[in-house]
Amino acid sequence: MEAIGDILVLPFYGQGHLFPCMELCKKLTCFNFKVTLIIPSHLSSSIPPHVRHHSLIQVVEISGTSTPPPPHKAIELPALPPNEKGGHGFMHGPFSHDHQQLGQGIDTFLLKRCNGAGQTRPICAAVDVMMSWSKEIFLKYEIPFVSFFTCGACAAAMEFAAWKNHADEMKGLPESMALDIKRNRHHPGGGPNRQNEPSGGVEDGPQKPRWLDEVEGSITLLINTCHDLEGPFIDYVANQIEKPIWCVGPLLPETYWKSTSSSILHDHEVRSNRQSNFTEEEVMQWLNSKSQGSVIYVSFGSEVGPSLVEYAQLADALEASNHPFIWVIQAGSGRHCPPPGLFGDGQQEEGYYPHGLDERIGNKGLIIKGWAPQLLILSHPSTGGFLSHCGWNSTMEAIGRGIPILAWPIRGDQFHDAKLVANYLKMGHMILLGDEPGEMVKKDDIVQGIDKMMKDEGVHKQAMALRSIFQSGYPDSSMCSFKSFIQLISK
């Protein structure tokens, strides 16, 4: 059967964005669409073979060092707005060059795709909201764009409600979350997937959510969540904006949905292997040696983490804790700069590492330097808790496997995700009661937090109850949203 059209997908550079975008591509092919995944060439190794070899997926790699088009075809990307303090955040300033290079490459690609003989004009482009600077390029070629949130709906809803700051504007939000806004009126929080910590101060008050500008001009919003988990927040956002919203998540690997709740997942089957000091088999053997539900898994994802001082506190806490643990430490950990390779530059200062800790703890802990098989760890029966930054992918993977979360958010939407986990879903705890930006996390906070989570039967029962939402596989509500979205773009 001939494909019914072509859809472009443009992810942000980080793994937490690339993974759901790849799953979005695969979902779209189920409806007989061809999909073109556009990535900078330095992300090439992150694309697994099953995506590259998919008959309906084309991976277009754009070199960051490509020669710009001739002057008459060159593009001028729109000026990036300053943040609330008048400066420029992670998406701005020194990184604008990377966006210019990628933008020129996208422009050249679209020129050939839209004007070349025998080429089919794309139906639309699904653009990660963190790549919203690119929307002018797609509109230049009269390609409608769709805003894609790789995070959930809670952050967008809470940010909007805090900005409006009126009781009437909070109607529809869960009471526990609305109260949190009232208690923290002067902590605006970061936007969905915002790379810098929440900005502004007591005198500034909550600012207009950046995502409102990022989705301006889009025909619809796709959000990586489902009604079963975030119904009130989805409905709240839908009532605030004049655009259709389709919740199409969680966008997790197909094997995740096809596996039973008791089966162990293997990361190498769905994700490209990365450099690590332990193989999946070695991690499996270590977990097999531990009793059921005894292990605390500690990971802050691939992009952010605590400060150097807090990492040292974490090392002392894990050594003092009575629980066996797996601790994942990424390159450049503790440094206030993007992770190596995010923009194609692998140069970075050496990060934190707890030298001597592995000798002192022996078999009690497994310290993984680099890439960890997270799906395997979360699906193993020995894992009983997850100390997490509450990145959206990690949060969804833990919920789907019934693993309670001890939330240690680092930036932006993670603070909202953490409160979603602790205050609304009630399947975990915050490592600090307030957990606002700037609070220092200390050894005693960590030790007490781990003990509280691991011994709290209530959060364990609630985590298992939430897992049942996904027991039948990919949520029916999300599949219905996908079908409605397809009908919209096929008109």
Side-chain angles (χ1 to χ4, degrees):
M1 182 185 299
E2 187 176 351
I4 59 178
D6 192 2
I7 297 175
L8 310 177
V9 175
L10 178 65
F12 181 62
Y13 311 100
Q15 299 295 330
H17 299 260
L18 183 59
F19 286 162
C21 282
M22 288 192 293
E23 296 305 322
L24 176 65
C25 290
K26 290 190 284 184
K27 286 291 183 187
L28 289 168
T29 64
C30 295
F31 296 92
N32 204 33
F33 281 96
K34 284 184 178 179
V35 183
T36 302
L37 178 65
I38 303 173
I39 61 169
S41 57
H42 71 268
L43 291 182
S44 179
S45 62
S46 298
I47 309 299
H50 72 273
V51 173
R52 289 192 178 278
H53 299 155
H54 197 293
S55 61
L56 291 177
I57 297 177
Q58 177 189 12
V59 179
V60 171
E61 299 179 15
I62 296 178
S63 173
T65 57
S66 60
T67 303
H72 69 283
K73 292 180 180 177
I75 60 168
E76 185 71 27
L77 293 182
L80 295 168
N83 64 23
E84 293 84 352
K85 290 184 176 179
H88 291 282
F90 187 80
M91 288 292 294
H92 304 55
F95 304 113
S96 61
H97 173 73
D98 300 280
H99 301 319
Q100 286 285 348
Q101 291 288 337
L102 182 60
Q104 296 288 6
I106 294 172
D107 185 62
T108 302
F109 165 73
L110 291 179
L111 180 66
K112 295 177 181 177
R113 171 61 65 90
C114 295
N115 298 332
Q119 295 289 342
T120 303
R121 176 176 290 274
I123 293 175
C124 69
V127 179
D128 189 319
V129 291
M130 284 195 64
M131 303 295 274
S132 62
W133 55 264
S134 67
K135 60 187 178 184
E136 300 298 332
I137 307 174
F138 296 104
L139 294 177
K140 170 184 174 181
Y141 292 94
E142 299 182 342
I143 300 172
F145 80 95
V146 173
S147 295
F148 178 41
F149 287 75
T150 56
C151 62
C154 175
M158 296 291 285
E159 203 179 25
F160 189 96
W163 171 52
K164 288 298 185 179
N165 206 12
H166 297 297
D168 289 345
E169 297 292 345
M170 298 183 194
K171 288 181 180 177
L173 287 178
E175 183 63 22
S176 60
M177 303 298 276
L179 285 173
D180 185 73
I181 293 175
K182 296 171 185 175
R183 284 195 301 264
N184 298 283
R185 289 186 188 276
H186 301 298
H187 295 282
N193 290 296
R194 190 62 48 225
Q195 298 288 335
N196 56 305
E197 284 189 3
S199 57
V202 173
E203 70 279 9
D204 298 324
Q207 304 295 316
K208 178 184 178 182
R210 291 181 185 170
W211 64 264
L212 284 175
D213 293 326
E214 290 169 334
V215 305
E216 186 176 351
S218 66
I219 58 174
T220 187
L221 274 62
L222 296 180
I223 305 183
N224 183 20
T225 189
C226 64
H227 273 272
D228 309 81
L229 284 177
E230 292 197 289
F233 306 100
I234 296 164
D235 294 340
Y236 179 85
V237 174
N239 289 332
Q240 307 303 324
I241 64 173
E242 297 178 352
K243 293 180 188 293
I245 296 176
W246 309 113
C247 295
V248 295
L251 289 166
L252 299 173
E254 187 177 3
T255 54
Y256 191 98
W257 299 116
K258 289 185 175 180
S259 64
T260 64
S261 58
S262 60
S263 59
I264 296 177
L265 299 169
H266 296 277
D267 294 67
H268 72 271
E269 296 176 356
V270 293
R271 293 173 178 170
S272 296
N273 289 324
R274 296 301 187 88
Q275 187 173 0
S276 176
N277 58 335
F278 288 101
T279 65
E280 279 192 39
E281 182 58 34
E282 289 171 329
V283 175
M284 171 81 89
Q285 290 175 359
W286 186 90
L287 283 166
N288 288 344
S289 71
K290 306 304 174 187
S291 58
Q292 183 171 344
S294 65
V295 175
I296 175 75
Y297 173 51
V298 182
S299 176
F300 295 94
S302 59
E303 296 175 39
V304 297
S307 65
L308 287 170
V309 174
E310 287 175 318
Y311 267 115
Q313 295 288 313
L314 175 57
D316 291 342
L318 292 175
E319 183 175 2
S321 173
N322 294 321
H323 301 278
F325 63 88
I326 293 179
W327 183 10
V328 183
I329 304 178
Q330 297 287 348
S333 55
R335 301 294 183 183
H336 291 290
C337 52
L342 185 64
F343 290 97
D345 180 7
Q347 300 300 316
Q348 187 179 40
E349 293 181 80
E350 183 179 350
Y352 176 81
Y353 189 79
H355 295 288
L357 179 62
D358 46 0
E359 289 87 359
R360 295 196 301 273
I361 59 174
N363 197 45
K364 171 189 167 183
L366 193 69
I367 302 175
I368 299 178
K369 192 173 183 179
W371 190 253
Q374 181 161 296
L375 295 177
L376 183 153
I377 295 168
L378 292 176
S379 62
H380 197 284
S382 293
T383 303
F386 186 8
L387 173 50
S388 171
H389 63 309
C390 280
W392 192 245
N393 286 338
S394 292
T395 301
M396 292 298 96
E397 289 170 7
I399 290 174
R401 288 290 150 171
I403 303 297
I405 294 174
L406 179 59
W408 185 341
I410 306 296
R411 69 165 187 223
D413 61 296
Q414 295 165 10
F415 289 90
H416 298 302
D417 296 345
K419 290 171 183 176
L420 175 78
V421 165
N423 299 344
Y424 178 67
L425 297 177
K426 299 188 184 302
M427 57 156 293
H429 295 289
M430 305 282 282
I431 200 161
L432 293 176
L433 189 58
D435 231 348
E436 294 298 340
E439 288 190 72
M440 171 73 178
V441 178
K442 299 179 181 178
K443 171 186 172 181
D444 289 345
D445 302 319
I446 303 167
V447 172
Q448 292 169 13
I450 291 174
D451 284 342
K452 183 177 181 180
M453 177 188 62
M454 297 296 277
K455 295 175 181 178
D456 189 338
E457 294 184 8
V459 299
H460 283 270
K461 288 180 180 178
Q462 179 65 3
M464 294 300 289
L466 289 170
R467 182 179 76 167
S468 65
I469 294 174
F470 302 149
Q471 230 158 15
S472 299
Y474 184 70
D476 291 337
S477 61
S478 295
M479 183 55 72
C480 289
S481 288
F482 242 122
K483 292 177 179 176
S484 297
F485 168 66
I486 295 302
Q487 289 177 352
L488 175 69
I489 63 174
S490 299
K491 290 181 180 178

